[in-house]
Amino acid sequence: SVGEWVMAIGNPYGLEGTVTVGVVSGTGRTDLGISHFENFIQTDASINPGNSGGPLLNMNGEVIGINTAIFSRTGGNVGIGFTIPIKMASDILDELKKDGKVTRGWLGVMIQKITPELAETFKLSDSHGALINDVVPNGPAARGGLKRGDVIVKFNGKEIVSVQNLPKQVAAVDPGKSVKVEIVRDGNKKSLDVTLDKMKEEKQA
């Protein structure tokens, strides 16, 4: 949780066994341009070349993440580091052990954030959800009846609070599985069944 004390361990610049200490500065960080599927813990424990890839631990000695990247205009640490949550890393590891690769679900839509103005235009009660601004022809969404202008408010039983939630939810579903997608269309809620495909490298969720 935010404010929790944490330690980063690694070998920054070849200095073996270095421990740096800080706090959890934020959680659920997205839109960093590091990956398509971002859900980072932010910390001010110092991360530099050599201790990225090392563990981030809480004060009980439990690994809570894998140090991954920093935000910096100089190349040095400025107290803004990003860590992959251990639950996400563990799930990926299990999949690699089982199948030798990571397989993600693919919906076949392009989405954008709901602004207050768009919420009014699309007759929404708030700015929650993901607006579909394009649908891939013959993709899973198109086959399931989703259209441009639909607003996805719930996916596979989970609320889509912000647009960043949807790619992570889609990627977590096994290809070939049918899921319920709740949308708002012309001010009315509809529920559609959509069978996901397998994501290819060049495709976005």
Side-chain angles (χ1 to χ4, degrees):
S1 58
V2 174
E4 179 181 2
W5 284 96
V6 289
M7 297 183 296
I9 297 178
N11 305 320
Y13 301 109
L15 299 169
E16 294 185 10
T18 294
V19 176
T20 56
V21 179
V23 297
V24 172
S25 306
T27 59
R29 297 302 196 208
T30 58
D31 289 338
L32 304 175
I34 298 171
S35 168
H36 290 315
F37 306 100
E38 297 180 334
N39 178 27
F40 290 104
I41 298 168
Q42 181 186 333
T43 181
D44 63 355
S46 185
I47 299 170
N48 282 293
N51 66 338
S52 57
L56 189 74
L57 297 89
N58 62 20
M59 291 299 105
N60 294 321
E62 299 165 325
V63 177
I64 65 169
I66 300 173
N67 302 320
T68 303
I70 61 171
F71 174 84
S72 174
R73 291 193 171 99
T74 64
N77 184 276
V78 294
I80 305 176
F82 300 103
T83 298
I84 297 171
I86 196 61
K87 173 68 167 63
M88 179 183 287
S90 179
D91 289 346
I92 291 171
L93 179 60
D94 290 343
E95 195 166 352
L96 288 172
K97 283 181 178 178
K98 179 183 173 185
D99 301 321
K101 59 183 178 180
V102 177
T103 304
R104 297 184 172 103
W106 177 60
L107 182 58
V109 294
M110 271 59 83
I111 53 176
Q112 70 182 71
K113 181 180 179 180
I114 304 290
T115 63
E117 294 78 16
L118 286 172
E120 185 176 348
T121 300
F122 288 94
K123 302 175 185 177
L124 305 172
S125 58
D126 52 41
S127 297
H128 292 175
L131 172 63
I132 299 176
N133 60 30
D134 202 3
V135 178
V136 176
N138 301 315
R143 293 195 302 268
L146 289 168
K147 299 178 180 179
R148 183 177 181 182
D150 289 344
V151 177
I152 299 174
V153 293
K154 187 180 284 189
F155 180 86
N156 199 25
K158 295 182 179 179
E159 300 283 347
I160 302 301
V161 177
S162 68
V163 69
Q164 293 93 344
N165 294 147
L166 186 62
K168 290 180 285 189
Q169 300 292 353
V170 172
V173 175
D174 291 334
K177 181 179 178 181
S178 178
V179 297
K180 288 204 173 295
V181 182
E182 190 171 297
I183 63 169
V184 174
R185 179 183 293 170
D186 299 325
N188 299 311
K189 281 192 175 180
K190 292 175 66 86
S191 184
L192 301 173
D193 292 314
V194 179
T195 301
L196 299 190
D197 280 353
K198 178 181 176 181
M199 183 185 222
K200 294 181 181 179
E201 286 301 318
E202 69 272 15
K203 291 180 178 175
Q204 303 266 336

